[in-house]
Amino acid sequence: MGYFFTFFYLFIIYLILTILKKLFNLSGDITRKIMHIFSCLSVFIINYFYLNSIHMFIIPFIYIWLNYIIIKYNLFSIMKRNTKHYGAIYFSITLFIGQLFVYFDNNLLELSYYALLILAFGDGASGLFGATLKHNFKLTKYKTLVGFISFVLCAFLSLIVVDRYLLKIGYLNILIVVITSAVVELLTESGLDNFSIYFISLFLLKLMII
């Protein structure tokens, strides 16, 4: 049942984005980033059904191969970009590894959720706004000031919402983690930031609750 709800959720997101792309002539970069954000959130569905079961990391493993096929054969207009880019695969690998961590240590569950929210909303917003807004001051060759600010704001807002119900680590600690993750994203090669953001966030969050 969990497989059905997970992939049905992804299908609905894909369907909505396909319609919006046609109605508003959205670029593949925009729809791809939005898909990135919402596919990351599928981990909540997966863990609702399969926490402590091997299926909690089998589904992200399937994501890896699905994204590989999509990129290799240039499928789905909402996922297309001008050049071949393996960020979606790296993201799926990160999700797979994160789920493995939680499988072997349930104490990492909420920390992993926080790190994934930073990856989803922070990195997602950075790419979404940083690449689409004009007159955007560049901080590095590919990263922009608008992207950096978008990362911090969106990641911070997403965490303060869930922090009321989960770890309660506080606004200041959240801000420290988010800004550090944003700097890491700024300095990491595009695509590989899917790894660096998650693991740095997880490490810092772990330190804060020791």
Side-chain angles (χ1 to χ4, degrees):
M1 186 64 73
Y3 281 84
F4 170 78
F5 280 108
T6 301
F7 287 101
F8 181 71
Y9 161 79
L10 293 175
F11 172 73
I12 293 299
I13 300 300
Y14 166 77
L15 193 62
I16 291 171
L17 288 175
T18 300
I19 294 170
L20 291 177
K21 181 176 172 61
K22 290 182 178 179
L23 286 177
F24 300 103
N25 196 30
L26 299 177
S27 72
D29 282 333
I30 293 176
T31 53
R32 179 174 50 80
K33 277 298 180 181
I34 296 174
M35 190 71 195
H36 165 89
I37 293 170
F38 283 98
S39 59
C40 197
L41 300 181
S42 68
V43 71
F44 291 98
I45 301 174
I46 295 170
N47 288 342
Y48 176 80
F49 287 98
Y50 295 126
L51 187 62
N52 298 322
S53 161
I54 61 170
H55 299 287
M56 68 181 291
F57 57 82
I58 286 178
I59 295 177
F61 185 75
I62 294 172
Y63 288 179
I64 297 171
W65 288 102
L66 282 177
N67 280 309
Y68 172 76
I69 292 169
I70 289 169
I71 293 169
K72 181 176 176 62
Y73 296 104
N74 203 25
L75 305 175
F76 304 141
S77 62
I78 70 163
M79 299 295 288
K80 287 182 180 179
R81 58 188 300 164
N82 295 330
T83 57
K84 270 201 183 343
H85 191 277
Y86 298 97
I89 297 175
Y90 300 150
F91 156 74
S92 300
I93 294 172
T94 298
L95 189 59
F96 171 73
I97 295 172
Q99 288 290 86
L100 275 178
F101 285 169
V102 174
Y103 178 76
F104 288 107
D105 184 1
N106 276 182
N107 292 323
L108 293 175
L109 177 63
E110 293 178 342
L111 295 175
S112 183
Y113 283 159
Y114 278 51
L116 285 173
L117 286 172
I118 293 173
L119 178 59
F121 288 99
D123 186 50
S126 175
L128 190 61
F129 297 110
T132 55
L133 294 180
K134 296 180 179 179
H135 310 298
N136 201 343
F137 180 76
K138 287 196 172 183
L139 297 175
T140 67
K141 185 177 181 180
Y142 298 108
K143 307 296 175 71
T144 66
L145 179 60
V146 170
F148 181 83
I149 295 172
S150 300
F151 185 113
V152 173
L153 287 177
C154 292
F156 180 74
L157 290 173
S158 69
L159 288 196
I160 63 173
V161 170
V162 300
D163 194 55
R164 296 176 59 189
Y165 306 101
L166 297 179
L167 296 174
K168 298 180 173 62
I169 65 173
Y171 289 0
L172 180 59
N173 286 332
I174 288 174
L175 189 60
I176 291 170
V177 174
V178 166
I179 291 176
T180 304
S181 299
V183 172
V184 168
E185 191 270 345
L186 190 67
L187 300 175
T188 307
E189 183 180 343
S190 182
L192 296 179
D193 51 10
N194 286 281
F195 297 121
S196 62
I197 292 168
Y198 175 81
F199 292 113
I200 288 295
S201 300
L202 191 67
F203 174 72
L204 291 175
L205 287 161
K206 182 66 175 175
L207 288 179
M208 287 177 176
I209 65 167
I210 290 176

